Every structure is written in structure tokens, then in C-alpha cells.
């Protein structure tokens, strides 16, 4: 599989037995390039006798101005799709993640139901351990990819934590913010923002195989206040684009202190951002 992308002009992503080919399409020349790459893939499969199941292959078009050309693998035309589940995340052609939010909440609430039916001890330590181990991971999985920006989706996710914290003895009649303070938890929205920062820190440190300069413009010689790795904000028109990962992180990242962005280890980075204004006072910030 390592030589699958040799000679490919388009970007290719491989994971286990999943392969995705991506290419910006603006005209017939781009369409021909992508079709040629698909032909190269078919040539590779015939050479190594590892043929694709073309019936399971499909094409997803992104963008309002996409001409939506047709593509073939071998003699078979690829079917178009509007939504696919990719590595556990529902992705659709509009790049909106409402279904992913709903599915994550459904799984988390299902786990809360299992906990309530099978446990009788609902003291603080027990419930928090169960919540962090069995419930919250459903809300955190791959969240930099699908982090919601619509208020209705944010409140939907927050409702899971509201429900879970209510079952702790002595917490039912307290306000949500008061419960979070006593339990040393942050809101789900704050937690997802924290995960955005951790992900970008890992990218800048080379822990994630992505070239940061391909996605953002780093002002490494900035003379402004704060650290010297600020992101230059870019102007975008569409709301979906504005809330995509590399377009939404600049403001929070630029507010981080110098000791955070230059931290030598991930734990030091987490400790450094713990006292930032957007996170300050949440003890759960240091939890992994």
C-alpha cells in the first residue's frame, strides 16, 4: 500500500483499507487530472491483484460552485453521495455536522442510561469517574473536525453534561454553573476550545504530520503584544468556512501566553493555558 500514491497528482489519504482521493475542481482540466488519478489507482490494483470494490466507492462534491463532474473507476461510473461516515465521523457535502452532534449525544445519553440502571452509588467520585471514562469520550471524539458552532448544537452537547451532573447526590437542585464550579469541570464548549488549542500545539511541535504553513500564516517576527507565533487572521465569506478548524482557532491561539506556545512538553502546555482568561478557574482543564 505504501506505493499506492506514487505518480498521483491529487492528494490521497490512506488509513487501513480506506482510501480517499481529494482534488480542487474548477474546470475540465482539474476533472481530467482527478480522473487520470483514478485510472492510476485501477492500474495499481490490477498489478497487485488487490481490486477495489467499486460498488462501495463513491464521490462527494463540496462547494456551491462545484460543477459536479462524473467520474469512473474502470468501466463503472461512481455514484454520488451526500453523506458518509468516515472513521466514526459523519461528513456531508455541506460540511455541517448536525448529525454528528446528534449521534454523539445519542451515544452519550445511552451510556448515562446504562449507568443509572446498573449503579446505585451516585456519590461525586464514582459518577465523575464514570462520566469521564464512559460518557464524555463520545462528546470529545475527533472534535477538532466537527466542533459545532450553531447554538442549538452546542446546547445539545451541553445537555449531556447537565444531565450527568444532576444525578450526583446533592447536586440536583443546584444551578448548572454552580455544579460545574463544585465539581471542577468546564463547559463542553470550553473543553472543545481547549482541544482545539492542544491540537494546534501538537501540529506546531511536529507531533501531528501536517505542515502548519500550508494552512495558516504564522507571524513569527510579530512586534505586537503576546507571543511570537501568532496566526494572521484571514478573511472568509461563508459561515461554514469561518468555523472550520484552521479559520476559527486564530483568536484563542493569539491570546495564549508565550510560555504556552513555547512549552517543551504537552503537560507544560496544558499547565500554561490553565490560567488563561477563557479557561481560568476550571480544575478539569488539567485532566487528560
Amino acid at each position: 500500500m505504501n506505493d499506492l500514491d506514487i505518480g498521483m497528482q491529487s492528494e490521497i489519504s490512506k488509513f487501513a483499507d480506506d482510501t480517499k482521493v481529494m482534488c480542487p475542481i474548477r474546470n475540465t482540466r482539474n476533472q481530467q487530472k482527478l480522473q487520470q488519478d483514478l485510472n492510476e489507482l485501477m492500474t495499481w490494483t490490477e498489478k497487485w491483484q488487490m481490486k477495489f470494490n467499486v460498488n462501495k466507492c463513491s464521490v462527494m462534491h463540496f462547494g456551491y460552485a462545484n460543477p459536479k463532474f462524473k467520474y469512473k473507476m474502470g468501466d463503472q461510473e461512481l455514484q454520488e453521495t451526500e453523506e458518509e461516515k468516515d472513521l466514526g465521523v459523519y461528513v456531508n457535502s455541506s460540511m455541517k455536522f448536525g448529525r454528528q452532534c446528534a449521534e454523539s449525544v445519542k451515544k452519550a445519553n445511552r451510556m448515562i442510561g446504562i449507568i443509572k440502571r446498573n449503579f446505585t452509588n451516585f456519590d461525586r467520585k464514582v459518577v465523575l469517574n464514570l462520566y469521564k471514562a464512559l460518557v464524555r469520550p463520545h462528546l470529545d471524539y475527533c472534535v477538532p473536525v466537527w466542533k459545532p458552532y450553531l447554538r442549538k448544537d452546542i446546547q445539545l452537547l451541553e445537555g449531556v453534561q447537565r444531565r450527568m451532573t444532576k444525578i450526583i447526590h446533592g447536586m440536583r437542585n443546584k444551578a448548572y454553573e454552580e455544579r460545574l464550579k463544585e465539581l471542577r469541570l468546564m463547559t463542553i464548549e470550553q473543553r472543545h476550545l481547549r482541544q482545539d488549542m492542544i491540537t494546534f500545539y501538537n501540529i506546531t511541535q511536529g507531533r501531528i504530520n501536517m505542515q502548519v504553513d500550508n494552512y495558516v500564516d504564522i507571524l513569527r517576527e510579530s512586534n505586537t503584544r503576546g507571543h511570537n507565533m501568532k496566526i494572521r487572521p484571514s478573511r472568509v465569506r461563508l459561515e461554514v468556512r469561518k468555523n472550520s478548524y484552521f479559520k476559527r482557532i486564530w483568536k484563542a491561539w493569539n491570546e495564549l501566553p508565550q510560555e504556552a506556545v513555547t512549552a517543551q512538553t504537552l503537560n507544560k502546555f496544558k499547565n500554561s493555558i490553565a490560567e488563561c482568561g477563557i479557561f481560568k478557574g476550571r480544575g478539569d482543564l488539567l485532566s487528560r
Side-chain angles (χ1 to χ4, degrees), residues 127-164:
V127 174
L128 282 179
N129 285 338
L130 289 170
Y131 172 61
K132 293 176 182 179
L134 301 176
V135 179
R136 197 168 63 184
H138 292 297
L139 308 180
D140 289 346
Y141 175 71
C142 284
V143 77
V145 174
W146 60 270
K147 178 185 173 185
Y149 62 91
L150 296 177
R151 183 52 51 184
K152 65 180 182 66
D153 291 330
I154 294 172
Q155 291 176 347
L156 189 66
L157 295 176
E158 207 70 55
V160 174
Q161 187 163 264
R162 288 177 183 272
R163 181 185 176 196
M164 192 69 186

Side-chain angles (χ1 to χ4, degrees), residues 231-234 246-255:
I231 300 172
R232 186 195 302 274
S234 57
F246 286 106
K247 298 300 180 183
R248 71 173 182 251
I249 62 171
W250 69 269
K251 187 173 183 180
W253 177 262
N254 289 354
E255 291 178 358

Side-chain angles (χ1 to χ4, degrees), residues 70-85:
K70 302 294 183 181
Y71 300 93
K72 289 184 176 182
M73 293 188 73
D75 297 327
Q76 187 169 335
E77 185 175 296
L78 293 179
Q79 60 183 350
E80 294 185 14
T81 182
E82 294 295 323
E83 183 176 71
E84 291 290 332
K85 188 177 183 181

Side-chain angles (χ1 to χ4, degrees), residues 101-111 160:
C101 292
E103 292 293 332
S104 298
V105 168
K106 186 187 298 183
K107 292 176 183 178
N109 280 332
R110 188 182 301 128
M111 190 56 64
V160 174

